[in-house]
Amino acid sequence: MGDFLYGLTEWLRSTALVDFALNVSEWPFSQWVVSQFWAIPILQMVHIFAIAGSFAAVLMLNLRVFHLAGHATLAETARRYTRVLWWSLGFVILSGVLMLFGDTVRNLINSVFWIKMVMVVIAIVLAIVFANNLGRQYRTTTGDTEVVGGGVKATAILLVILWCAIMFAGRWIAYAPA
Amino acid sequence: MYPEPTNLWERIEYSSLGITIAESTWMFPTIETLHVIALVTVIGTIAIVDLRLIGVASKGHRVSLLAKDTLPLTWAAFALAAITGGLLFVSKASSYMINPYFLWKLVLLALAGLNMMYLHLTTWRTVEHWERDPSFPFQAKLAGWLSLVFWIGVVFCGRMIGFTLGVFY
């Protein structure tokens, strides 16, 4: 795994990303973020709270889908927590992009960062599929006979695993071979 | 070789567990990741109840049912956060104990715990009488606000530890 990550970083170093990252780090906004001691910690806090919102929403939807918790109907639960999920994801992306300006080169020329980005894209697509499936699910559900399909359950579990993997990658960006 | 410990914190840090974590290339980041996963679960699930208490979200839902849904997850995640936090502490105990942000984090965690305990021992006892009212009692709203402030503080201090560990001697 270490060799793969090292090889990927070496390849990233041979691309136009290096010039781009160096260029971005010279932008006035990047310089401003770097010069403000509190900018990065505050952006990281926003990022953590946004992750907390999206992860908690995914967990609560999981618990409801598997009948482990949730006093409300599937329709109500889905409506409530998918809204939290979209808003939180918005803040995750916004704070994540802003944080990039604080350390552009270390992030863009980093194998773990790009693995994380691929997983984030997959997670967003999967979340959209999950929300759509939930919507379809509760439209076909009548009264007490609430049956959740295997596909919805599988997507729910996959989303939790993906979020954990994204958080794992997020923390390991700082430890990746550079 | 490590020097002879001169106080309790160094004794913890130079224990076989502390040295194993500190010297490993993967243990500290892995434990740290699990700590983050546990922490965001605690904060996310607590915020669901807090935001209901202060009247910002889930207004159509009974707060006792929301708490019943989230609390098992909150406690499980809190246990994981405490275990992983303890392991991180063991690996650098003396550096943590002189770091003001770490000490403030402990204080804020204690305050968050006391706030929750006070709510449950007082206003929460009559929750069934007021949870259907359009507005909650002042004490319940205050507990929700305080909880949010304390947990924001916990995250802030936690993040600042990463920027200042080894700065204080």
Side-chain angles (χ1 to χ4, degrees):
Chain A
M1 187 66 176
D3 287 344
F4 168 73
L5 295 176
Y6 191 80
L8 188 55
T9 304
E10 281 298 298
W11 176 75
L12 288 168
R13 279 181 176 168
S14 68
T15 64
L17 260 181
V18 178
D19 285 338
F20 175 72
L22 285 169
N23 189 276
V24 172
S25 57
E26 295 296 321
W27 289 2
F29 182 68
S30 304
Q31 299 284 323
W32 182 82
V33 171
V34 172
S35 66
Q36 303 298 313
F37 178 72
W38 296 105
I40 291 294
I42 288 171
L43 282 172
Q44 285 182 345
M45 268 180 67
V46 175
H47 203 58
I48 290 171
F49 278 104
I51 293 169
S54 22
F55 193 55
V58 167
L59 287 175
M60 295 315 292
L61 284 168
N62 256 267
L63 291 178
R64 181 63 189 84
V65 161
F66 287 95
H67 300 285
L68 295 171
H71 57 279
T73 65
L74 186 60
E76 282 174 336
T77 312
R79 249 196 314 271
R80 182 150 44 108
Y81 289 117
T82 47
R83 202 183 309 146
V84 175
L85 182 59
W86 301 140
W87 274 101
S88 303
L89 269 176
F91 277 98
V92 166
I93 294 166
L94 181 68
S95 54
V97 169
L98 290 175
M99 275 196 298
L100 271 181
F101 290 95
D103 211 345
T104 320
V105 177
R106 194 182 71 155
N107 281 296
L108 292 189
I109 315 300
N110 189 315
S111 49
V112 180
F113 171 80
W114 288 106
I115 292 170
K116 181 185 171 183
M117 287 307 105
V118 170
M119 289 195 294
V120 167
V121 172
I122 296 171
I124 291 171
V125 172
L126 209 64
I128 294 168
V129 172
F130 181 58
N132 282 340
N133 283 347
L134 269 184
R136 207 172 305 135
Q137 192 82 48
Y138 65 68
R139 275 195 295 274
T140 54
T141 299
T142 50
D144 295 332
T145 55
E146 185 184 277
V147 183
V148 180
V152 173
K153 286 181 179 173
T155 321
I157 294 174
L158 206 58
L159 265 177
V160 174
I161 296 170
L162 253 179
W163 267 111
C164 289
I166 288 167
M167 284 187 262
F168 212 90
R171 205 70 283 279
W172 276 76
I173 287 173
Y175 298 94
Chain B
M1 280 302 288
Y2 289 89
E4 200 60 34
T6 56
N7 56 45
L8 173 65
W9 315 119
E10 285 182 359
R11 212 168 295 154
I12 293 171
E13 190 171 330
Y14 300 150
S15 65
S16 57
L17 180 64
I19 291 171
T20 306
I21 297 169
E23 287 186 347
S24 163
T25 51
W26 60 270
M27 275 193 195
F28 192 89
T30 304
I31 298 168
E32 208 181 5
T33 308
L34 293 174
H35 191 64
V36 170
I37 292 173
L39 188 73
V40 294
T41 309
V42 170
I43 290 167
T45 51
I46 281 182
I48 292 170
V49 179
D50 287 343
L51 293 174
R52 176 68 191 99
L53 282 173
I54 65 173
V56 166
S58 307
K59 285 183 190 172
H61 297 266
R62 286 167 59 191
V63 69
S64 63
L65 295 178
L66 278 177
K68 207 175 144 196
D69 285 347
T70 54
L71 268 180
L73 204 53
T74 310
W75 278 116
F78 186 80
L80 180 64
I83 293 166
T84 49
L87 290 172
L88 293 174
F89 174 77
V90 165
S91 70
K92 292 174 186 166
S94 44
S95 300
Y96 282 122
M97 285 312 292
I98 52 169
N99 186 295
Y101 291 106
F102 176 76
L103 300 174
W104 270 110
K105 185 181 172 180
L106 291 187
V107 170
L108 289 164
L109 271 172
L111 288 173
L114 286 173
N115 177 50
M116 189 181 71
M117 200 162 46
Y118 183 75
L119 173 73
H120 279 266
L121 290 175
T122 56
T123 323
W124 195 264
R125 283 177 181 272
T126 55
V127 65
E128 285 180 8
H129 299 302
W130 51 261
E131 66 177 342
R132 290 171 207 269
D133 296 345
S135 183
F136 287 175
F138 172 74
Q139 292 92 332
K141 284 187 195 168
L142 181 66
W145 277 111
L146 285 176
S147 174
L148 287 170
V149 169
F150 291 147
W151 282 106
I152 288 171
V154 167
V155 172
F156 174 74
C157 290
R159 213 55 297 276
M160 287 308 293
I161 294 167
F163 288 95
T164 56
L165 203 65
V167 168
F168 300 95
Y169 291 99

